[in-house]
Amino acid sequence: MNVLWSEEAGDADRPLIALVHGSMDRSAGMLKLSRRLDSDFRVLRYDRRGYGRSFPHPGPFTMAGQIDDLVGLLAGRRAVLVGHSYGGDVALATADRHPDLVAGVAVYETPLSWLPWWPNTTAGSIAVAEQRDTREAAEQFMRRILGVRRWEGLPERAKETRRAEGVALVAELSDLRDNQPWIPEHITMPVVTAYGSLASPHHLRGMRHAAELLNCPVVELPDCRHDAPLSHPDLFRTAIVDPLLQAVGPPYSDIRESAAPRP
């Protein structure tokens, strides 16, 4: 049995929000956002299979496996899903297949790499091209995402951990490129898509295109890059999550007065 690491915060009797992280990330990247939400909601965050405290994991690193993991953690509870990058595809695919469990979905800079116009020069596309050497694929991905200076400044143990996660990275992104994970017509609950004003062109185009497919709002976060849930958690909540919760309606729209945000 392969156990995923997960954590829940907030009162158990409050509406549930599940946060889903992206490729080569872990639930810690959603911690600041969780802290902006857990005074009003029950918040679930977890390390997806093959990453962080859910490493090692034998896979498979397919979307079907990702959906099974999230559904298992929901344990029959209805939730609003918030997905960052690849985590947005997990959220939308779960909404597609299990609409009874999903009240609404917010996605930020989620890749649409199965579409023919998606560029082959993104960090993810380059990682897939390096799939014969998953360690090298992971390193090159992190160099693109973090920048060379930040990567070089990491302790060697941290670099080795990230290289080992390349198995999950390459497999899940290869599967995403080859298999469309969700069908727009199947997703009938409220959705919000979003990107940062400093986004790469493909993420900007992707989120606008997803909004058209899903007939939903698209939000631009000013002065934000790909890491907005971590870098701008207050803005992420007020500009993306709160409007979604209002669209979902009670009990999610019955937002109580929050305590002062924590750092």
Side-chain angles (χ1 to χ4, degrees):
M1 181 178 180
N2 301 299
V3 178
L4 297 180
W5 182 91
S6 66
E7 179 177 83
E8 296 189 16
D11 291 346
D13 61 346
R14 293 181 176 177
L16 179 64
I17 297 178
L19 309 179
V20 191
H21 70 79
S23 297
M24 291 300 292
D25 202 354
R26 54 261 289 121
S27 62
M30 306 293 265
L31 177 57
K32 289 184 178 181
L33 179 60
S34 175
R35 288 175 170 171
R36 270 53 176 193
L37 293 164
D38 65 21
S39 58
D40 299 311
F41 303 98
R42 182 73 167 176
V43 183
L44 162 69
R45 61 188 183 92
Y46 67 105
D47 289 346
R48 291 194 299 101
R49 55 174 63 193
Y51 295 111
R53 285 159 285 191
S54 298
F55 175 91
H57 194 290
F61 301 102
T62 59
M63 188 58 70
Q66 305 289 345
I67 295 169
D68 287 346
D69 289 343
L70 180 51
V71 169
L73 292 170
L74 294 179
R77 297 171 294 175
R78 194 163 181 255
V80 162
L81 308 182
V82 179
H84 174 230
S85 196
Y86 177 90
D89 283 315
V90 176
L92 289 168
T94 303
D96 178 330
R97 291 162 179 77
H98 297 275
D100 55 316
L101 294 178
V102 181
V105 183
V107 298
Y108 183 81
E109 296 198 2
T110 294
L112 308 182
S113 51
W114 61 92
L115 295 176
W117 55 260
W118 193 259
N120 60 10
T121 55
T122 68
S125 297
I126 292 171
V128 170
E130 289 281 354
Q131 60 184 291
R132 287 177 296 179
D133 186 344
T134 58
R135 291 170 56 83
E136 178 65 18
E139 178 168 339
Q140 292 305 315
F141 184 92
M142 293 302 293
R143 284 176 178 270
R144 287 283 297 272
I145 297 298
L146 292 180
V148 174
R149 180 176 297 180
R150 286 181 63 192
W151 169 260
E152 294 293 347
L154 292 177
E156 189 57 35
R157 182 175 179 180
K159 291 179 183 177
E160 279 298 302
T161 297
R162 295 304 187 129
R163 292 182 185 115
E165 293 173 347
V167 174
L169 168 73
V170 169
E172 69 187 19
L173 293 187
S174 296
D175 176 69
L176 187 66
R177 181 190 62 183
D178 295 339
N179 301 290
Q180 181 174 340
W182 46 270
I183 305 299
E185 293 77 16
H186 294 176
I187 299 172
T188 57
M189 67 286 294
V191 178
V192 173
T193 73
Y195 61 89
S197 65
L198 305 178
S200 299
H202 60 279
H203 281 309
L204 185 154
R205 181 181 179 186
M207 288 296 87
R208 289 178 175 174
H209 184 66
E212 292 178 0
L213 293 174
L214 295 164
N215 191 28
C216 72
V218 58
V219 177
E220 179 181 294
L221 296 190
D223 301 319
C224 288
R225 301 184 186 275
H226 191 60
D227 63 346
L230 179 64
S231 65
H232 293 73
D234 293 302
L235 177 61
F236 198 97
R237 172 174 177 168
T238 58
I240 301 172
V241 179
D242 284 349
L244 172 67
L245 300 178
Q246 291 297 323
V248 169
Y252 289 92
S253 59
D254 301 332
I255 298 174
R256 307 168 190 175
E257 185 175 352
S258 300
R262 289 175 284 167

